[in-house]
Amino acid sequence: PLSIRNIISKATAKNANESDKQLFWSLFHKPELEFELKGQLLKDLEESPAPSGNETFFDAVFERFWQKSGGGANRDNKNVRFLIQVSKWVAILVLGLLLGFYFNPAKKSSPVYYTSNAPKGSNAEMLLPDGTHIFLNSGSQIKYSIDGTAGIREVFLNGEAWFEVAKMKEKPFVVHTTMYDVKVMGTSFDVKAYQEDNEIITTLEEGSVQILSAGKLKITNEAILKPGDQFTYNKELEQTQVSKVNPKLYSSWKENKLVFVNMELKNLRILLERKYGVDIKIDDEDILDYHYDGIFKGETILEVLEILRYTLPIEYKIVDQNIIIQKLKKEGK
């Protein structure tokens, strides 16, 4: 098998082919190779001249990571200044490799996509090579590329994800759902687009995003959202709506919180199944429209069920690892 050194050399050569590049990209998805890969990249840094151009972009990227890591204090210290300079060049080398600055820019090739998922019962957090921060809700999957169709950064989403998009004016970021696209230059927002749900919902926290027609859905007035706006498309009614909401309520899941605002039991069941990776059956259809308001953080599924039992006229039982919710029976009946 090829060594990491050989894989990097082949992928960054001017005559690199698509298979060479894909093999190189795959190294970043193998945690067991992390330290060896970083070591080789640092060795290359010592032996190579500093890359020219794009310094402003990389300064901005480094500043973003520096602030997020709690940096900023005592920058006048000699050792800190040295660390900052070295870290910047490390960021330039690694991001340069990832974004293709060492690849032949004149040679066009098909986009390379990667897939990440969060199984039911768990959330996932990731940082894309361009610095975009993503949380995936349980039962969700994304396919992404930082150099997708027409050179844009794009994500195909099935499920729910919260995004904090790194700003790159020359490369818009687009989230594709089954019904519409969300285009953004740099902002934070939540998109809920499970295939089995009746609604696809985009909630904007900061910045600005544009909702675009995609596939069979043709939006007459393509909406530009402002912070606090929520765009909803109802599949059954084939209708769109923009409303004002508290966006923090709709991204609280990434902090392991469950927030229910006048939520019907039929929708609450789906949310609990995804969150805890369980199967819930509701025996009595007339309780599906029961509504519930509440906030949970860190409770187990049994604790949640106990709270619901004391709040709503329901009871539950567990049969063969399935949770069955029933209407509370009156005594004597």
Side-chain angles (χ1 to χ4, degrees), residues 2-4 7 23-24 26-41:
L2 291 175
S3 66
I4 287 180
I7 293 174
L23 181 59
F24 167 73
S26 69
L27 297 179
F28 291 88
H29 293 263
K30 297 179 179 179
E32 70 273 12
L33 299 179
E34 177 184 357
F35 293 105
E36 185 180 354
L37 178 59
K38 286 180 178 178
Q40 186 60 60
L41 290 175

PDB file of all heavy atoms in Angstrom, residues 2-4 7 23-24 26-41:
ATOM      1  N   LEU A   2       0.364   2.326  -0.594  1.00  0.00           N
ATOM      2  CA  LEU A   2       1.089   3.585  -0.649  1.00  0.00           C
ATOM      3  C   LEU A   2       1.190   4.205   0.737  1.00  0.00           C
ATOM      4  O   LEU A   2       0.274   4.119   1.541  1.00  0.00           O
ATOM      5  CB  LEU A   2       0.377   4.563  -1.588  1.00  0.00           C
ATOM      6  CG  LEU A   2       0.404   4.235  -3.086  1.00  0.00           C
ATOM      7  CD1 LEU A   2      -0.458   5.238  -3.833  1.00  0.00           C
ATOM      8  CD2 LEU A   2       1.823   4.259  -3.618  1.00  0.00           C
ATOM      9  N   SER A   3       2.325   4.850   0.998  1.00  0.00           N
ATOM     10  CA  SER A   3       2.489   5.568   2.252  1.00  0.00           C
ATOM     11  C   SER A   3       1.752   6.893   2.166  1.00  0.00           C
ATOM     12  O   SER A   3       1.399   7.365   1.079  1.00  0.00           O
ATOM     13  CB  SER A   3       3.971   5.822   2.532  1.00  0.00           C
ATOM     14  OG  SER A   3       4.501   6.712   1.565  1.00  0.00           O
ATOM     15  N   ILE A   4       1.522   7.518   3.333  1.00  0.00           N
ATOM     16  CA  ILE A   4       0.865   8.826   3.347  1.00  0.00           C
ATOM     17  C   ILE A   4       1.684   9.832   2.565  1.00  0.00           C
ATOM     18  O   ILE A   4       1.152  10.669   1.830  1.00  0.00           O
ATOM     19  CB  ILE A   4       0.644   9.284   4.802  1.00  0.00           C
ATOM     20  CG1 ILE A   4      -0.488   8.473   5.441  1.00  0.00           C
ATOM     21  CG2 ILE A   4       0.310  10.775   4.853  1.00  0.00           C
ATOM     22  CD1 ILE A   4      -0.798   8.844   6.862  1.00  0.00           C
ATOM     23  N   ILE A   7       0.980   9.310  -1.062  1.00  0.00           N
ATOM     24  CA  ILE A   7      -0.390   9.725  -1.409  1.00  0.00           C
ATOM     25  C   ILE A   7      -0.466  11.240  -1.539  1.00  0.00           C
ATOM     26  O   ILE A   7      -1.061  11.781  -2.486  1.00  0.00           O
ATOM     27  CB  ILE A   7      -1.385   9.218  -0.343  1.00  0.00           C
ATOM     28  CG1 ILE A   7      -1.469   7.688  -0.394  1.00  0.00           C
ATOM     29  CG2 ILE A   7      -2.767   9.838  -0.561  1.00  0.00           C
ATOM     30  CD1 ILE A   7      -2.312   7.084   0.722  1.00  0.00           C
ATOM     31  N   LEU A  23      -8.178   9.626  -3.126  1.00  0.00           N
ATOM     32  CA  LEU A  23      -7.442   8.856  -2.135  1.00  0.00           C
ATOM     33  C   LEU A  23      -6.883   9.777  -1.061  1.00  0.00           C
ATOM     34  O   LEU A  23      -6.930   9.464   0.139  1.00  0.00           O
ATOM     35  CB  LEU A  23      -6.308   8.079  -2.812  1.00  0.00           C
ATOM     36  CG  LEU A  23      -5.446   7.196  -1.890  1.00  0.00           C
ATOM     37  CD1 LEU A  23      -6.313   6.159  -1.168  1.00  0.00           C
ATOM     38  CD2 LEU A  23      -4.345   6.510  -2.682  1.00  0.00           C
ATOM     39  N   PHE A  24      -6.370  10.936  -1.476  1.00  0.00           N
ATOM     40  CA  PHE A  24      -5.845  11.909  -0.511  1.00  0.00           C
ATOM     41  C   PHE A  24      -6.958  12.416   0.413  1.00  0.00           C
ATOM     42  O   PHE A  24      -6.806  12.468   1.633  1.00  0.00           O
ATOM     43  CB  PHE A  24      -5.198  13.083  -1.257  1.00  0.00           C
ATOM     44  CG  PHE A  24      -4.898  14.266  -0.382  1.00  0.00           C
ATOM     45  CD1 PHE A  24      -3.852  14.232   0.525  1.00  0.00           C
ATOM     46  CD2 PHE A  24      -5.668  15.424  -0.467  1.00  0.00           C
ATOM     47  CE1 PHE A  24      -3.573  15.322   1.334  1.00  0.00           C
ATOM     48  CE2 PHE A  24      -5.404  16.505   0.340  1.00  0.00           C
ATOM     49  CZ  PHE A  24      -4.352  16.463   1.245  1.00  0.00           C
ATOM     50  N   SER A  26      -9.623  11.016   1.274  1.00  0.00           N
ATOM     51  CA  SER A  26     -10.122   9.967   2.166  1.00  0.00           C
ATOM     52  C   SER A  26      -9.303   9.871   3.449  1.00  0.00           C
ATOM     53  O   SER A  26      -9.794   9.370   4.462  1.00  0.00           O
ATOM     54  CB  SER A  26     -10.124   8.612   1.445  1.00  0.00           C
ATOM     55  OG  SER A  26      -8.795   8.157   1.212  1.00  0.00           O
ATOM     56  N   LEU A  27      -8.055  10.353   3.431  1.00  0.00           N
ATOM     57  CA  LEU A  27      -7.216  10.297   4.634  1.00  0.00           C
ATOM     58  C   LEU A  27      -7.821  11.096   5.778  1.00  0.00           C
ATOM     59  O   LEU A  27      -7.666  10.746   6.949  1.00  0.00           O
ATOM     60  CB  LEU A  27      -5.813  10.844   4.323  1.00  0.00           C
ATOM     61  CG  LEU A  27      -4.971  10.092   3.292  1.00  0.00           C
ATOM     62  CD1 LEU A  27      -3.639  10.799   3.097  1.00  0.00           C
ATOM     63  CD2 LEU A  27      -4.744   8.647   3.723  1.00  0.00           C
ATOM     64  N   PHE A  28      -8.536  12.184   5.448  1.00  0.00           N
ATOM     65  CA  PHE A  28      -9.094  13.049   6.477  1.00  0.00           C
ATOM     66  C   PHE A  28     -10.334  12.444   7.122  1.00  0.00           C
ATOM     67  O   PHE A  28     -10.897  13.014   8.050  1.00  0.00           O
ATOM     68  CB  PHE A  28      -9.429  14.421   5.883  1.00  0.00           C
ATOM     69  CG  PHE A  28      -8.199  15.205   5.513  1.00  0.00           C
ATOM     70  CD1 PHE A  28      -7.618  15.060   4.268  1.00  0.00           C
ATOM     71  CD2 PHE A  28      -7.613  16.064   6.421  1.00  0.00           C
ATOM     72  CE1 PHE A  28      -6.479  15.761   3.926  1.00  0.00           C
ATOM     73  CE2 PHE A  28      -6.472  16.779   6.085  1.00  0.00           C
ATOM     74  CZ  PHE A  28      -5.896  16.626   4.840  1.00  0.00           C
ATOM     75  N   HIS A  29     -10.777  11.308   6.652  1.00  0.00           N
ATOM     76  CA  HIS A  29     -11.943  10.636   7.222  1.00  0.00           C
ATOM     77  C   HIS A  29     -11.536   9.355   7.941  1.00  0.00           C
ATOM     78  O   HIS A  29     -12.365   8.495   8.208  1.00  0.00           O
ATOM     79  CB  HIS A  29     -12.965  10.331   6.125  1.00  0.00           C
ATOM     80  CG  HIS A  29     -13.580  11.563   5.538  1.00  0.00           C
ATOM     81  ND1 HIS A  29     -14.796  12.056   5.937  1.00  0.00           N
ATOM     82  CD2 HIS A  29     -13.116  12.427   4.602  1.00  0.00           C
ATOM     83  CE1 HIS A  29     -15.074  13.162   5.260  1.00  0.00           C
ATOM     84  NE2 HIS A  29     -14.072  13.401   4.446  1.00  0.00           N
ATOM     85  N   LYS A  30     -10.241   9.247   8.262  1.00  0.00           N
ATOM     86  CA  LYS A  30      -9.734   8.071   8.986  1.00  0.00           C
ATOM     87  C   LYS A  30      -9.049   8.538  10.266  1.00  0.00           C
ATOM     88  O   LYS A  30      -7.876   8.938  10.238  1.00  0.00           O
ATOM     89  CB  LYS A  30      -8.764   7.292   8.104  1.00  0.00           C
ATOM     90  CG  LYS A  30      -9.413   6.715   6.842  1.00  0.00           C
ATOM     91  CD  LYS A  30      -8.406   5.974   5.970  1.00  0.00           C
ATOM     92  CE  LYS A  30      -9.074   5.388   4.736  1.00  0.00           C
ATOM     93  NZ  LYS A  30      -8.125   4.678   3.852  1.00  0.00           N
ATOM     94  N   PRO A  31      -9.778   8.532  11.401  1.00  0.00           N
ATOM     95  CA  PRO A  31      -9.222   9.048  12.655  1.00  0.00           C
ATOM     96  C   PRO A  31      -7.909   8.373  13.048  1.00  0.00           C
ATOM     97  O   PRO A  31      -7.040   9.003  13.642  1.00  0.00           O
ATOM     98  CB  PRO A  31     -10.334   8.737  13.676  1.00  0.00           C
ATOM     99  CG  PRO A  31     -11.585   8.631  12.876  1.00  0.00           C
ATOM    100  CD  PRO A  31     -11.162   8.069  11.556  1.00  0.00           C
ATOM    101  N   GLU A  32      -7.741   7.111  12.689  1.00  0.00           N
ATOM    102  CA  GLU A  32      -6.527   6.399  13.091  1.00  0.00           C
ATOM    103  C   GLU A  32      -5.277   6.927  12.390  1.00  0.00           C
ATOM    104  O   GLU A  32      -4.141   6.644  12.807  1.00  0.00           O
ATOM    105  CB  GLU A  32      -6.685   4.898  12.821  1.00  0.00           C
ATOM    106  CG  GLU A  32      -6.703   4.505  11.350  1.00  0.00           C
ATOM    107  CD  GLU A  32      -8.086   4.580  10.727  1.00  0.00           C
ATOM    108  OE1 GLU A  32      -8.983   5.154  11.387  1.00  0.00           O
ATOM    109  OE2 GLU A  32      -8.281   4.085   9.616  1.00  0.00           O
ATOM    110  N   LEU A  33      -5.469   7.724  11.316  1.00  0.00           N
ATOM    111  CA  LEU A  33      -4.323   8.279  10.584  1.00  0.00           C
ATOM    112  C   LEU A  33      -4.054   9.737  10.933  1.00  0.00           C
ATOM    113  O   LEU A  33      -3.165  10.363  10.353  1.00  0.00           O
ATOM    114  CB  LEU A  33      -4.559   8.162   9.074  1.00  0.00           C
ATOM    115  CG  LEU A  33      -4.721   6.754   8.498  1.00  0.00           C
ATOM    116  CD1 LEU A  33      -4.960   6.824   6.997  1.00  0.00           C
ATOM    117  CD2 LEU A  33      -3.482   5.918   8.789  1.00  0.00           C
ATOM    118  N   GLU A  34      -4.822  10.276  11.886  1.00  0.00           N
ATOM    119  CA  GLU A  34      -4.766  11.712  12.157  1.00  0.00           C
ATOM    120  C   GLU A  34      -3.351  12.197  12.474  1.00  0.00           C
ATOM    121  O   GLU A  34      -2.852  13.146  11.876  1.00  0.00           O
ATOM    122  CB  GLU A  34      -5.707  12.066  13.317  1.00  0.00           C
ATOM    123  CG  GLU A  34      -5.646  13.543  13.713  1.00  0.00           C
ATOM    124  CD  GLU A  34      -6.515  13.839  14.918  1.00  0.00           C
ATOM    125  OE1 GLU A  34      -7.205  12.915  15.398  1.00  0.00           O
ATOM    126  OE2 GLU A  34      -6.483  14.987  15.379  1.00  0.00           O
ATOM    127  N   PHE A  35      -2.672  11.559  13.443  1.00  0.00           N
ATOM    128  CA  PHE A  35      -1.377  12.059  13.887  1.00  0.00           C
ATOM    129  C   PHE A  35      -0.301  11.864  12.824  1.00  0.00           C
ATOM    130  O   PHE A  35       0.556  12.716  12.618  1.00  0.00           O
ATOM    131  CB  PHE A  35      -0.987  11.367  15.194  1.00  0.00           C
ATOM    132  CG  PHE A  35      -1.866  11.737  16.343  1.00  0.00           C
ATOM    133  CD1 PHE A  35      -2.814  10.851  16.819  1.00  0.00           C
ATOM    134  CD2 PHE A  35      -1.762  12.988  16.936  1.00  0.00           C
ATOM    135  CE1 PHE A  35      -3.646  11.194  17.867  1.00  0.00           C
ATOM    136  CE2 PHE A  35      -2.594  13.342  17.988  1.00  0.00           C
ATOM    137  CZ  PHE A  35      -3.535  12.449  18.458  1.00  0.00           C
ATOM    138  N   GLU A  36      -0.344  10.733  12.121  1.00  0.00           N
ATOM    139  CA  GLU A  36       0.629  10.504  11.056  1.00  0.00           C
ATOM    140  C   GLU A  36       0.448  11.504   9.927  1.00  0.00           C
ATOM    141  O   GLU A  36       1.423  12.029   9.375  1.00  0.00           O
ATOM    142  CB  GLU A  36       0.488   9.070  10.525  1.00  0.00           C
ATOM    143  CG  GLU A  36       1.552   8.709   9.497  1.00  0.00           C
ATOM    144  CD  GLU A  36       1.409   7.281   8.981  1.00  0.00           C
ATOM    145  OE1 GLU A  36       0.538   6.548   9.519  1.00  0.00           O
ATOM    146  OE2 GLU A  36       2.162   6.918   8.065  1.00  0.00           O
ATOM    147  N   LEU A  37      -0.827  11.789   9.585  1.00  0.00           N
ATOM    148  CA  LEU A  37      -1.114  12.740   8.518  1.00  0.00           C
ATOM    149  C   LEU A  37      -0.650  14.135   8.899  1.00  0.00           C
ATOM    150  O   LEU A  37       0.001  14.836   8.116  1.00  0.00           O
ATOM    151  CB  LEU A  37      -2.614  12.730   8.217  1.00  0.00           C
ATOM    152  CG  LEU A  37      -3.101  13.721   7.153  1.00  0.00           C
ATOM    153  CD1 LEU A  37      -2.407  13.464   5.822  1.00  0.00           C
ATOM    154  CD2 LEU A  37      -4.618  13.617   7.005  1.00  0.00           C
ATOM    155  N   LYS A  38      -0.970  14.558  10.128  1.00  0.00           N
ATOM    156  CA  LYS A  38      -0.554  15.888  10.581  1.00  0.00           C
ATOM    157  C   LYS A  38       0.967  16.003  10.605  1.00  0.00           C
ATOM    158  O   LYS A  38       1.538  17.028  10.235  1.00  0.00           O
ATOM    159  CB  LYS A  38      -1.121  16.169  11.971  1.00  0.00           C
ATOM    160  CG  LYS A  38      -2.612  16.464  11.979  1.00  0.00           C
ATOM    161  CD  LYS A  38      -3.100  16.732  13.392  1.00  0.00           C
ATOM    162  CE  LYS A  38      -4.591  17.069  13.404  1.00  0.00           C
ATOM    163  NZ  LYS A  38      -5.079  17.281  14.786  1.00  0.00           N
ATOM    164  N   GLY A  39       1.625  14.932  11.050  1.00  0.00           N
ATOM    165  CA  GLY A  39       3.072  14.954  11.095  1.00  0.00           C
ATOM    166  C   GLY A  39       3.687  15.137   9.716  1.00  0.00           C
ATOM    167  O   GLY A  39       4.644  15.892   9.538  1.00  0.00           O
ATOM    168  N   GLN A  40       3.139  14.448   8.733  1.00  0.00           N
ATOM    169  CA  GLN A  40       3.655  14.559   7.375  1.00  0.00           C
ATOM    170  C   GLN A  40       3.403  15.944   6.796  1.00  0.00           C
ATOM    171  O   GLN A  40       4.249  16.520   6.109  1.00  0.00           O
ATOM    172  CB  GLN A  40       3.027  13.496   6.479  1.00  0.00           C
ATOM    173  CG  GLN A  40       3.613  13.443   5.076  1.00  0.00           C
ATOM    174  CD  GLN A  40       5.106  13.133   5.098  1.00  0.00           C
ATOM    175  OE1 GLN A  40       5.531  12.094   5.576  1.00  0.00           O
ATOM    176  NE2 GLN A  40       5.911  14.067   4.591  1.00  0.00           N
ATOM    177  N   LEU A  41       2.229  16.508   7.080  1.00  0.00           N
ATOM    178  CA  LEU A  41       1.907  17.847   6.587  1.00  0.00           C
ATOM    179  C   LEU A  41       2.841  18.885   7.199  1.00  0.00           C
ATOM    180  O   LEU A  41       3.286  19.820   6.524  1.00  0.00           O
ATOM    181  CB  LEU A  41       0.451  18.183   6.894  1.00  0.00           C
ATOM    182  CG  LEU A  41      -0.601  17.404   6.101  1.00  0.00           C
ATOM    183  CD1 LEU A  41      -1.997  17.739   6.593  1.00  0.00           C
ATOM    184  CD2 LEU A  41      -0.491  17.693   4.617  1.00  0.00           C
TER     185      LEU A  41
END
